[in-house]
Amino acid sequence: FSKKVIDSLLQAMAKSNDIRIAVAFASTGGISLLEQGLQDYINRKERYIEFVLGIDSYVTDSKALQDLYQLSKANPNVKLYCYRGLNSESNSEGIYHPKLYIANQSSVVTTIIGSSNLTEGGLKSNVELNVLIESKSDSDIASDIYALYYRMKFSNRCFEPDDEFLQLYGEIYSAKKDQEKILRGEHFKKLSLKIAEKISSMPPLSPTSKDLFGWQRLVFEKLPHGEFKTSDLYKFEEEFRRHYPRNRYI
């Protein structure tokens, strides 16, 4: 049940230095529940948090997007990304629908995965079902969780919003909310085409060192500057093995 989701999330935030959140929908109520914990979190040094929020069917609150966007502009350690599922209007390919919260505490990774969106109902008042997983940072479980997250983040359907996009999204969100019948009108169709054109012009995301986790980060730190050969890394093989003796990928 979701009454413990917000508590577990805030507890994880208090102990973590890197948080990744991927959810289908977000609302101002959900952001408000996190507000104090989020502010305390980003006020501490060397803390990073990013959100990958769904915009399918224009359900995510435009003010929630705008609030997180302004927060990201004011703080370089906060990032907001948006994800639009393939053919979400026709639903022929399915919509973006995860509910995934990852908190890295250096040696331990806490993951909450289940049915709770970043909404007041999802985090507090609805009947929801979630699983909390605590795994060692160097475990295959943690690596697999991050791999799933990065598959979404670096999909060609994920992008970093800008002012123009948020203005367009706000307009179409208001049109849908104020008058559902406009969904069948020309104004909504024109807005849908315009925002689709805007999204298609947004560049996909590129990985940075912040996106490397576990053994990938260790290998990256050992990479020589400039051009190198695979054989250049074999001299670190024993060190890699000491850190990750059970890892099958190194």
Side-chain angles (χ1 to χ4, degrees):
F1 292 83
S2 69
K3 287 186 178 180
K4 293 184 179 180
V5 173
I6 183 60
D7 296 331
S8 298
L9 191 54
L10 290 173
Q11 289 171 9
M13 288 178 68
K15 298 183 288 185
S16 302
N17 52 34
D18 186 291
I19 295 174
R20 315 291 172 117
I21 295 175
V23 292
F25 309 127
S27 70
T28 52
I31 302 300
S32 294
L33 287 174
L34 286 182
E35 187 173 8
Q36 188 57 56
L38 181 57
Q39 197 60 55
D40 291 343
Y41 177 83
I42 62 178
N43 283 340
R44 301 199 302 272
K45 291 183 178 180
E46 298 181 357
R47 297 293 187 269
Y48 179 81
I49 184 169
E50 68 181 33
F51 301 82
V52 179
L53 303 185
I55 57 169
D56 290 327
S57 302
Y58 314 107
V59 175
T60 287
D61 193 330
S62 63
K63 187 176 185 305
L65 284 179
Q66 189 65 243
D67 288 347
L68 288 177
Y69 178 67
Q70 294 302 326
L71 187 63
S72 71
K73 289 179 68 175
N75 192 310
N77 289 325
V78 179
K79 292 293 183 183
L80 171 65
Y81 305 114
C82 293
Y83 191 111
R84 187 176 191 181
L86 291 170
N87 299 324
S88 56
E89 273 70 30
S90 66
N91 203 32
S92 61
E93 296 289 342
I95 65 172
Y96 176 73
H97 211 241
K99 291 90 180 176
L100 176 64
Y101 305 81
I102 308 172
N104 188 347
Q105 305 167 30
S106 296
S107 61
V108 175
V109 173
T110 299
T111 304
I112 299 173
I113 185 168
S115 63
S116 290
N117 276 304
L118 188 54
T119 63
E120 183 174 5
L123 295 179
K124 184 179 180 181
S125 57
N126 291 347
V127 176
E128 306 278 359
L129 184 63
N130 298 278
V131 176
L132 188 149
I133 303 169
E134 289 191 341
S135 52
K136 292 184 178 180
S137 295
D138 60 355
S139 68
D140 285 349
I141 292 175
S143 293
D144 288 346
I145 289 170
Y146 272 90
L148 289 171
Y149 175 82
Y150 289 136
R151 281 179 60 186
M152 295 183 288
K153 178 180 176 180
F154 296 112
S155 162
N156 60 7
R157 308 301 296 180
C158 189
F159 60 92
E160 187 169 7
D162 59 14
D163 291 301
E164 181 185 4
F165 167 79
L166 289 170
Q167 180 179 347
L168 286 168
Y169 186 90
E171 290 177 18
I172 202 167
Y173 176 83
S174 296
K176 180 183 177 183
K177 185 176 181 181
D178 293 343
Q179 199 174 13
E180 286 293 327
K181 66 181 181 181
I182 207 169
L183 287 170
R184 296 182 294 273
E186 290 302 315
H187 178 59
F188 185 87
K189 291 179 182 177
K190 289 178 180 178
L191 283 174
S192 295
L193 288 173
K194 193 171 183 180
I195 200 169
E197 290 174 359
K198 174 62 180 176
I199 291 172
S200 67
S201 71
M202 308 293 282
L205 307 179
S206 298
T208 69
S209 60
K210 284 183 178 294
D211 299 307
L212 298 174
F213 176 80
W215 67 267
Q216 295 175 335
R217 181 182 290 272
L218 178 62
V219 172
F220 179 80
E221 290 172 350
K222 300 299 182 182
L223 290 178
H225 294 292
E227 294 185 4
F228 64 91
K229 297 180 292 185
T230 306
S231 58
D232 294 333
L233 290 175
Y234 278 106
K235 60 184 178 182
F236 302 108
E237 184 176 3
E238 288 304 316
E239 182 178 352
F240 295 159
R241 198 181 303 279
R242 285 199 306 272
H243 281 86
Y244 297 96
R246 297 187 302 274
N247 193 287
R248 304 185 302 271
Y249 304 109
I250 299 180

